[in-house]
Amino acid sequence: MDRRKFIKAIGATSLITGGALVSAPVVHAKKTIKWKMVTTWPKNFPGLGTGANFLAKLIEDMSGGRMQVKVYGAGELVPPFEVFDAVSAGTAQMGHAASFYWKGKSPAAQFFAGVPYGLTGQEMNGWLYHGGGMDLWKEVYAPFGLVPAAAGNSGVQMAGWFNKEINSMADLKGLKMRIPGLGGDVLKKAGGTPVNIPGGEIYSSLKSGAIDATEWIGPYNDLAFGLYKAAKYYYYPGWHEPGTSLECTINKKALEELPKDLQSIVLQACRVSSDELTAEYTARNASALQTLKTKHKVQVKRLPDDVLENLRALSEEVVADVASKDPVTAKVYESYHQFRKQAIAWSNVSERAYLNAREL
Ligand code: CA
């Protein structure tokens, strides 16, 4: 091939400089892909809001700046409980929330957040990643054009903040309490009135007496909201949320339009941020509990056995009832239920046995 033909053959990406043939880099228009992430949390709220920020930054870093994700706090772009719809419609490409907020979309969604007397955080991740849970979650969200990912686990939550002692089931009767998801349905069966309000409105509602009691998450987040200033007693354990998984939702079309490597980066960043947030909760809950007890003199109390036993029985009824709603929910329940049975047998000889041994 003579020189002229050769130059023609390799095309416009090469040029001759000073007699030498130099291959010039292929120049693509460097357009940064800009995504929006809407959240159900107050902007920069410890753990939740900062977890969303962490995920956004990770995507930007891992993509070498090819992607930017702007995080919006609750109400900044859309109201907190419209996150699911906003991502489904493509108003935002990502959402950061918890799936039990979307029980009106599908009752099955609740199994991917937390179930009263259900899986712990560690067991939950086992079910999601190696027990078929994630495939079911994708199936449940597919009709909405959404791809779900786990975004961190709160671990066992606290039962909540009360201004009166809970000594028996009778104390739950007539109680107006902020408690979302299946836990709320259980409280209703116990004669209480569950309400679901976004995190950002909990403190003012409790302080004003619009609600009698509330649960939120655990010491780390409850301290940040100053809930100890609005209620006297802090009860445990969080029977209603033994290991709630947070979620990241991704608009399926937006994800599929990304080059393959960026698709992988988005999904892997979710996985990393999930591990990160779970570790953060473990560390910060421990230190915040100490602060609540020593600095703010909070009375930390355990729910009586009788109450816990009754709530467990009611929870079984509520969860089985949800399972009968539709075929998809029944399928999710069956998978969760089977996994839970095995997980209990294993946890009894591992986590439970060890935690008991540590206290002997
Ligand atoms: Ca909670």
Side-chain angles (χ1 to χ4, degrees):
M1 192 185 288
D2 71 25
R3 192 177 154 112
R4 261 182 64 187
K5 274 190 188 155
F6 176 70
I7 290 167
K8 203 175 167 192
I10 60 171
T13 60
S14 293
L15 35 93
I16 309 267
T17 316
L21 189 64
V22 179
S23 186
V26 179
V27 179
H28 293 295
K30 276 208 171 173
K31 206 170 160 237
T32 307
I33 297 165
K34 292 188 175 175
W35 273 20
K36 293 174 182 148
M37 189 196 298
V38 287
T39 71
T40 51
W41 328 116
K43 181 90 175 158
N44 301 325
F45 189 75
L48 304 169
T50 55
N53 296 347
F54 177 89
L55 173 57
K57 177 148 191 325
L58 197 57
I59 292 171
E60 188 172 336
D61 289 349
M62 287 170 77
S63 70
R66 287 158 66 206
M67 280 187 80
Q68 273 176 9
V69 183
K70 184 168 181 195
V71 179
Y72 293 86
E76 282 188 336
L77 193 64
V78 297
F81 290 155
E82 283 175 27
V83 164
F84 187 95
D85 284 338
V87 182
S88 176
T91 308
Q93 291 77 17
M94 296 181 91
H96 203 271
S99 65
F100 52 37
Y101 292 144
W102 323 127
K103 68 175 181 180
K105 303 291 177 189
S106 167
Q110 298 169 104
F111 288 94
F112 307 112
V115 171
Y117 293 89
L119 302 174
T120 64
Q122 197 166 323
E123 292 164 351
M124 186 71 186
N125 282 336
W127 178 58
L128 287 177
Y129 295 121
H130 294 280
M134 194 53 82
D135 288 338
L136 288 166
W137 198 353
K138 284 178 190 163
E139 189 180 326
V140 170
Y141 278 19
F144 304 96
L146 292 174
V147 175
N153 197 291
S154 67
V156 181
Q157 300 198 359
M158 291 291 282
W161 296 88
F162 300 80
N163 271 312
K164 65 172 189 181
E165 286 191 46
I166 305 297
N167 295 315
S168 71
M169 289 301 281
D171 293 317
L172 297 177
K173 288 219 186 321
L175 194 78
K176 194 173 177 193
M177 179 173 178
R178 185 270 179 190
I179 174 169
L182 293 165
D185 294 341
V186 174
L187 179 71
K188 198 170 175 185
K189 257 189 192 283
T193 307
V195 290
N196 186 17
I197 52 175
E201 294 166 28
I202 293 176
Y203 176 79
S204 55
S205 302
L206 188 59
K207 189 81 182 165
S208 71
I211 52 173
D212 304 316
T214 188
E215 69 80 52
W216 173 220
I217 299 177
Y220 178 33
N221 293 136
D222 295 10
L223 173 66
F225 267 157
L227 296 177
Y228 60 90
K229 288 182 273 184
K232 213 162 152 188
Y233 305 112
Y234 195 23
Y235 272 95
Y236 71 94
W239 56 273
H240 63 304
E241 290 190 66
T244 295
S245 189
L246 304 171
E247 71 168 8
C248 179
T249 44
I250 307 157
N251 180 284
K252 192 164 185 279
K253 191 165 167 285
L255 184 68
E256 285 170 356
E257 280 169 5
L258 292 176
K260 283 269 181 267
D261 62 334
L262 290 182
Q263 290 185 27
S264 176
I265 281 170
V266 168
L267 295 171
Q268 293 308 321
C270 287
R271 183 91 182 238
V272 171
S273 77
S274 184
D275 280 353
E276 164 66 17
L277 198 55
T278 305
E280 187 182 342
Y281 269 113
T282 304
R284 301 276 181 265
N285 274 330
S287 58
L289 177 64
Q290 195 65 18
T291 305
L292 286 169
K293 288 204 297 197
T294 54
K295 191 173 169 199
H296 302 299
K297 311 290 180 217
V298 167
Q299 296 189 52
V300 180
K301 286 177 166 291
R302 184 177 178 278
L303 286 172
D305 282 349
D306 166 61
V307 170
L308 288 171
E309 276 174 35
N310 276 290
L311 289 172
R312 189 180 63 205
L314 294 177
S315 296
E316 278 166 17
E317 288 174 26
V318 163
V319 176
D321 186 45
V322 170
S324 67
K325 298 259 190 231
D326 60 72
V328 176
T329 308
K331 191 162 92 170
V332 174
Y333 168 78
E334 192 51 31
S335 169
Y336 187 97
H337 186 64
Q338 290 306 323
F339 191 91
R340 181 178 174 273
K341 267 203 280 192
Q342 281 198 356
I344 287 172
W346 167 236
S347 291
N348 279 344
V349 299
S350 56
E351 299 295 317
R352 184 202 301 279
Y354 169 69
L355 290 174
N356 288 343
R358 195 162 70 177
E359 296 303 306
L360 287 175

